Amino acid sequence: MSQKISGVKGMNDILPPDSRIWRRVESAAREVFDRFGYEEIRTPIVEDTALFVRGVGEGTDIVGKEMYTFEDKSGRSLSLRPEGTAPAARAYIEHSVHNLEPVTHWFYIGPMFRYERMKTGRYRQFWQIGAEAFGVKEPAQDVELMDLVVQFLRALQVPNVSLSINSLGDDACRPKYLAALVDYLSRHRDALCAECRERIDRNPLRVLDCKNEGCRRVTQGAPSILEFLCGPCRAHFDEVKRQLSLLGLKYEVDPRMARGLDYYTRTAFEFIAEHPSLGTASAVGGGGRYDKLVSSLGGLEIPAVGFALGVDRICLLLSEQPHADRAPDLFIATADDKAKDEALKLVSSLRREGFRIEFDGRGGSLKSQMKRADKSLARFALVLGENELTMRAAQLKPLRGGEPKSVSLDALPAALSAS
Ligand code: HAM
């Protein structure tokens, strides 16, 4: 036997029955996006590396440490996308979408790639469901997106998810905050972990959400960004909070939430599910406003806000919940090889009419076929043999209790619909 080849570490196969949960999540997302008027985009999985360096930020862990970057045959530096916002902004600029409509509402569903340390809920290929809204600077847009996430999670009955919000300020107020933060962190440098010591200069905001005990103790006393917000940023944040309350959406203000991407301005938010199945990978989604990203990528000054949800994490939460999938309507067994042709025709025509039919082309003894019928959880089973073909009728046998009844083969659709 040849040596077996395994999948790439951190990149998962999604097989049945899990793939059913994935499909349920994706169709719930499509349904809710449709209700909110968001249209789908599909951008390439590979982009120019510069897009992420400039968009997400060179100093971030995502770009600095986690990107899958390679040269193509012509020596261009390309990267597997680690997230979907910079690609969406690139496509928005490239297709001059602002000329077509003043407000653009997009969503995407697809795989992202980050070379992270793996654990439950944290993978190297993971899927995101995301939305990006371009053209609205008002807080109502931020709140609409958070409402959308809440409605989506509610539709799926994802348990115990809480919403945390923060404001990260803007160019007018954040530099003053960063200076105060760097000053504070430098004074407590020795109590920080090695990574955070290095972050003080590279990405000081990230020190705030380090999980290390020592770092947490230091950051308890760190200055809060909320005390540094300028008037317009404060007013924006107050209005976000007021509108969330207006819609009855519960939230918590978390002044330590930094998010791991450089493009944010003002509102930042995260949806957290404290659940053992996620371990410490408890963020099921996050997002925020990024009013400067489009212009920093060469577009106009277009305000924007968006979010992305981690599909792997949502599916982990849902896999703990029992849920009923649509069972097959009928299992068709064949008594002999002669019945197989007729069975094939019957299976095909019933499927054409929309019924879910199970048929095992291997045939075999009736006993083993009926065992398979039970395992399939079908509502009914039916055996086709010489007798049935001559009579053009068969016994429709309920598999979950009840009496079998004789049904003409032509009347099967009506019999299946009626029961
Ligand atoms: P993010 O917080 O980096 O934001 O990722 C969003 C979500 O993707 C996370 O909350 C998490 O559920 C999931 N996720 C991230 N990394 C992994 C991983 N390695 N394995 C499994 N799931 C993961 C963004 O990506 C932004 N683009 C969101 C955004 C859109 N902001 C504005 N618009």
Side-chain angles (χ1 to χ4, degrees):
M1 241 201 291
S2 311
Q3 208 187 354
K4 88 177 169 77
I5 299 173
S6 305
V8 177
K9 202 171 157 196
M11 307 204 178
N12 299 320
D13 298 311
I14 296 146
L15 306 178
D18 291 347
S19 52
R20 285 200 217 136
I21 300 176
W22 281 67
R23 210 168 58 181
R24 188 153 68 94
V25 169
E26 287 168 14
S27 62
R30 288 177 194 285
E31 194 278 321
V32 79
F33 283 131
D34 189 51
R35 251 192 286 145
F36 277 74
Y38 282 65
E39 295 271 3
E40 182 166 9
I41 55 164
R42 299 186 188 204
T43 61
I45 279 169
V46 174
E47 297 272 358
D48 189 328
T49 302
L51 173 67
F52 301 111
V53 172
R54 203 147 23 112
V56 176
E58 204 161 11
T60 61
D61 286 352
I62 294 177
V63 170
K65 302 181 180 170
E66 296 167 0
M67 273 212 302
Y68 282 88
T69 297
F70 58 95
E71 277 190 5
D72 73 2
K73 293 205 189 297
S74 65
R76 250 184 242 114
S77 179
L78 303 179
S79 293
L80 300 187
R81 63 181 182 194
E83 61 101 50
T85 308
R90 188 224 10 97
Y92 179 87
I93 298 163
E94 195 162 332
H95 300 278
S96 304
V97 180
H98 68 279
N99 282 334
L100 310 175
E101 54 192 19
V103 174
T104 295
H105 284 156
W106 281 346
F107 79 89
Y108 48 87
I109 300 179
M112 308 292 159
F113 303 83
R114 296 182 194 173
Y115 191 82
E116 292 206 70
R117 250 204 316 257
M118 282 168 347
K119 54 182 186 176
T120 308
R122 184 183 296 156
Y123 310 112
R124 291 180 177 169
Q125 172 176 305
F126 58 97
W127 285 64
Q128 283 188 342
I129 290 175
E132 313 293 350
F134 297 94
V136 184
K137 64 178 188 328
E138 281 71 16
Q141 184 60 75
D142 317 24
V143 174
E144 176 187 83
L145 286 162
M146 289 184 250
D147 187 28
L148 195 161
V149 176
V150 170
Q151 293 202 25
F152 165 69
L153 296 173
R154 205 170 281 162
L156 286 169
Q157 296 179 314
V158 179
N160 304 329
V161 179
S162 58
L163 166 62
S164 298
I165 61 169
N166 192 17
S167 174
L168 297 174
D170 64 8
D171 288 349
C173 51
R174 194 171 359 177
K176 284 184 209 126
Y177 172 66
L178 288 181
L181 181 63
V182 168
D183 178 55
Y184 174 87
L185 295 174
S186 305
R187 279 188 277 118
H188 295 83
R189 186 178 209 100
D190 294 345
L192 296 174
C193 71
E195 204 167 347
C196 283
R197 261 178 263 154
E198 184 221 328
R199 280 176 177 148
I200 295 179
D201 301 315
R202 191 167 52 86
N203 200 352
L205 279 176
R206 271 339 284 258
V207 179
L208 294 177
D209 60 12
C210 178
K211 301 278 186 287
N212 176 290
E213 265 308 306
C215 299
R216 289 197 78 84
R217 241 173 285 131
V218 170
T219 54
Q220 292 291 345
S224 159
I225 180 126
L226 297 178
E227 283 153 27
F228 285 76
L229 292 184
C230 59
C233 285
R234 177 169 302 286
H236 188 97
F237 194 48
D238 286 345
E239 190 54 17
V240 166
K241 289 187 285 183
R242 193 188 70 79
Q243 291 185 19
L244 284 172
S245 301
L246 193 71
L247 299 187
L249 301 178
K250 290 205 187 75
Y251 64 87
E252 209 171 86
V253 174
D254 177 5
R256 295 153 66 107
M257 183 207 302
R259 310 276 303 124
L261 309 101
D262 279 357
Y263 49 60
Y264 291 115
T265 46
R266 296 193 170 166
T267 318
F269 55 91
E270 269 177 2
F271 287 87
I272 310 289
E274 295 298 345
H275 197 279
S277 66
L278 291 183
T280 52
S282 56
V284 291
R289 186 161 270 288
Y290 51 94
D291 291 342
K292 298 285 169 213
L293 179 64
V294 175
S295 59
S296 77
L297 294 175
L300 300 175
E301 287 270 340
I302 304 276
V305 48
F307 69 78
L309 298 165
V311 182
D312 303 72
R313 293 183 189 178
I314 291 172
C315 290
L316 271 175
L317 289 171
L318 290 177
S319 62
E320 305 248 316
Q321 284 182 1
H323 75 278
D325 271 310
R326 189 183 157 199
D329 296 302
L330 176 66
F331 187 100
I332 296 185
T334 45
D336 51 46
D337 276 354
K338 269 190 267 157
K340 268 194 181 168
D341 278 358
E342 200 57 37
L344 280 178
K345 284 199 287 181
L346 189 61
V347 167
S348 173
S349 78
L350 287 171
R351 284 177 177 158
R352 232 174 285 151
E353 294 199 40
F355 295 101
R356 190 172 158 202
I357 309 295
E358 289 279 326
F359 173 64
D360 187 338
R362 290 174 303 171
S365 75
L366 270 184
K367 195 172 157 202
S368 67
Q369 290 187 71
M370 290 318 280
K371 261 198 200 148
R372 282 179 233 147
D374 278 333
K375 217 170 146 206
S376 78
L377 301 177
R379 289 160 55 221
F380 293 97
L382 174 151
V383 178
L384 278 188
E386 207 180 327
N387 215 8
E388 285 78 12
L389 295 186
T390 320
M391 307 291 289
R392 301 284 312 154
Q395 294 282 313
L396 191 60
K397 181 174 181 251
L399 293 178
R400 297 182 214 153
E403 290 303 310
K405 58 179 178 200
S406 180
V407 177
S408 122
L409 296 185
D410 297 332
L412 259 179
L416 289 173
S417 303
S419 45

